[in-house]
């Protein structure tokens, strides 16, 4: 077993001292982006293989029913997981007047790996700074928003943030100053919010390869997120459904069929559902 006190991967030259990837310190040594990316891809393939072998067992609270679920199918990096995300996003607002802000990273100032390492933190910092700027100028309500991360062909991430129902957020120069990482674009248009985000998740499902998914996994990057005001109803529906089932345990792939035979032989379970 690997010593958790040792760095998982060396970092690229010029990285900030606080750079962390997948809860492991990666700040020792110097390599280029390509070498780093290749190693992250191999680590991701190991993660996929491990998850693909795991199955969880759920027991219904009231009925003699159990469910076997392949862990990988519930991962946000799998095609099945991305399809479930698209289903959730359909509950978001439809066509509305919106302000959309695009945020990019300056390639002269940030390496690829550095941009991926800080993008999630920088989105949160930018939105908090924007809300604070508005609060100081008399805006009482915090901004409702949803955002999505997209990869360029060279794998650099950029962010699209949508503010549904608004015609104005802040002056362009203020937005540029608050972001401070690269180019920004501000647009006002009617957007099908749910459809827009579903389109980007569909792109991730169909077009993202191992490199993009490995970067998302290693740095814990979300493809999209929403403010609490937009996600509250979705969370309540999900919690209601989850309360019907109790987690019993986890088994390996080679033990699945033996478990099914036991359930059929002893009749403890009247219905067994297998979710691939």
């Amino acid at each position: 077993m690997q010593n958790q006190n040792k760095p998982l991967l060396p970092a690229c030259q010029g990285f900030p001292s606080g750079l962390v990837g997948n809860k492991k310190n990666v700040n020792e040594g110097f390599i280029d982006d390509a070498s780093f990316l290749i190693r992250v891809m191999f680590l991701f393939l190991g993660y996929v293989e491990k998850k693909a072998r795991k199955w969880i067992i759920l027991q219904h609270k009231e009925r003699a029913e159990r469910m076997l679920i392949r862990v990988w199918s519930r991962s946000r990096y799998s095609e099945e997981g991305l399809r479930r995300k698209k289903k959730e996003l359909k509950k978001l607002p439809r066509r509305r007047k919106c302000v959309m802000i695009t945020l990019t990273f300056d390639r002269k100032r940030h390496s690829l790996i550095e941009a991926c390492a800080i993008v999630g933190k920088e989105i949160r910092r930018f939105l908090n700074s924007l809300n604070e700027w508005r609060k100081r100028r008399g805006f009482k309500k915090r901004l409702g928003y949803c955002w999505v991360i997209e990869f360029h062909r060279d794998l650099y991430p950029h962010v699209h943030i949508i503010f549904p129902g608004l015609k104005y957020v802040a002056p362009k120069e203020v937005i540029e100053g608050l972001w401070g990482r690269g180019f920004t674009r501000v647009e006002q248009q009617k957007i099908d919010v749910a459809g827009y985000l579903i389109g980007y998740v569909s792109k991730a499902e169909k077009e993202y390869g191992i490199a993009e998914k490995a970067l998302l996994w290693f740095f814990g990057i979300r493809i999209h997120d929403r403010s609490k005001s937009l996600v509250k109803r979705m969370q309540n529906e999900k919690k209601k459904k989850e309360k019907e089932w109790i987690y019993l345990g986890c088994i390996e792939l080679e033990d699945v069929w033996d478990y099914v035979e036991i359930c059929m032989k002893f009749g403890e379970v009247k219905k067994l559902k297998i979710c691939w």
Side-chain angles (χ1 to χ4, degrees):
M1 183 178 292
Q2 187 177 1
N3 187 346
Q4 294 186 355
N5 294 323
K6 292 184 178 181
L8 178 63
L9 291 173
C12 297
Q13 190 169 8
F15 275 14
S17 60
L19 176 61
V20 171
N22 201 30
K23 299 181 181 179
K24 303 285 186 178
N25 192 340
V26 293
N27 293 304
E28 293 184 9
F30 302 97
I31 57 174
D32 57 26
D33 282 353
S35 301
F36 189 98
L37 180 59
I38 290 169
R39 298 183 70 181
V40 168
M41 288 165 64
F42 274 103
L43 286 170
F44 177 68
L45 289 174
Y47 162 82
V48 172
E49 183 180 358
K50 183 178 178 181
K51 288 292 182 182
R53 298 185 61 80
K54 296 286 185 181
W55 290 69
I56 60 174
I57 308 168
L58 300 180
Q59 170 72 53
H60 198 279
K61 277 190 172 182
E62 300 176 356
R63 302 188 295 270
E65 295 181 14
R66 287 185 186 175
M67 189 184 301
L68 280 173
I69 301 176
R70 189 165 60 111
V71 173
W72 175 243
S73 68
R74 293 302 187 261
S75 170
R76 57 179 169 160
Y77 310 107
S78 69
E79 292 183 3
E80 298 92 335
L82 289 169
R83 281 196 288 269
R84 283 184 16 258
K85 284 292 180 186
K86 289 194 292 184
K87 196 172 181 180
E88 288 180 11
L89 289 172
K90 289 180 180 179
K91 299 182 178 72
L92 286 173
R94 303 305 298 190
R95 192 167 182 81
R96 290 189 181 180
K97 289 182 179 179
C98 303
V99 173
M100 183 170 72
I101 298 176
T102 301
L103 309 172
T104 68
F105 285 92
D106 185 349
R107 287 156 175 75
K108 294 180 180 179
R109 295 169 52 198
H110 303 284
S111 70
L112 166 63
I113 303 302
E114 183 184 6
C116 291
I118 66 175
V119 62
K121 180 184 71 174
E122 286 301 297
I123 294 171
R124 292 189 294 272
R125 179 196 61 77
F126 171 77
L127 289 168
N128 287 334
S129 300
L130 187 56
N131 273 309
E132 284 299 316
W133 183 90
R134 287 170 60 87
K135 184 179 179 180
R136 290 194 297 269
R137 282 150 185 82
F139 293 94
K140 295 182 180 180
K141 284 188 177 182
R142 291 183 66 84
L143 291 165
Y145 59 84
C146 47
W147 55 257
V148 63
I149 291 176
E150 184 183 12
F151 287 100
H152 289 285
R153 288 186 178 182
D154 61 0
L155 298 181
Y156 266 84
H158 64 276
V159 189
H160 302 291
I161 307 178
I162 301 173
F163 302 93
L166 295 180
K167 295 181 180 179
Y168 172 82
V169 172
K172 176 73 160 56
E173 57 272 18
V174 170
I175 291 170
E176 287 180 349
L178 292 177
W179 175 241
R181 293 290 182 179
F183 172 78
T184 64
R185 184 173 68 238
V186 182
E187 303 172 89
Q188 297 177 8
Q189 54 183 297
K190 279 191 175 182
I191 298 175
D192 178 354
V193 179
Y196 186 86
L197 294 181
I198 288 170
Y200 277 103
V201 176
S202 295
K203 181 178 179 180
E205 176 191 348
K206 296 174 183 177
E207 299 181 18
Y208 282 5
I210 296 174
E212 289 90 347
K213 291 180 179 179
L215 289 171
L216 289 170
W217 165 76
F218 186 78
F219 291 110
I221 303 170
R222 292 178 175 272
I223 295 176
H224 66 86
D225 204 356
R226 305 164 292 277
S227 60
K228 291 181 179 179
S229 59
L230 294 179
V231 78
K232 188 175 181 180
R233 189 181 77 176
M234 298 167 67
Q235 286 179 334
N236 290 340
E237 290 180 2
K238 188 176 180 181
K239 285 179 181 179
K240 184 178 179 181
K241 188 175 181 180
E242 287 177 347
K243 285 180 180 178
E244 297 175 357
W245 297 87
I246 303 170
Y247 172 77
L248 292 185
C250 187
I251 57 176
E252 296 287 335
L253 176 63
E254 56 267 25
D255 299 323
V256 170
W257 180 243
D258 290 338
Y259 182 80
V260 172
E261 282 190 318
I262 291 171
C263 290
M264 294 171 64
K265 183 176 181 180
F266 293 98
E268 296 179 3
V269 182
K270 292 183 179 179
K271 185 178 179 181
L272 179 63
K273 185 177 179 181
I274 301 177
C275 302
W276 297 92

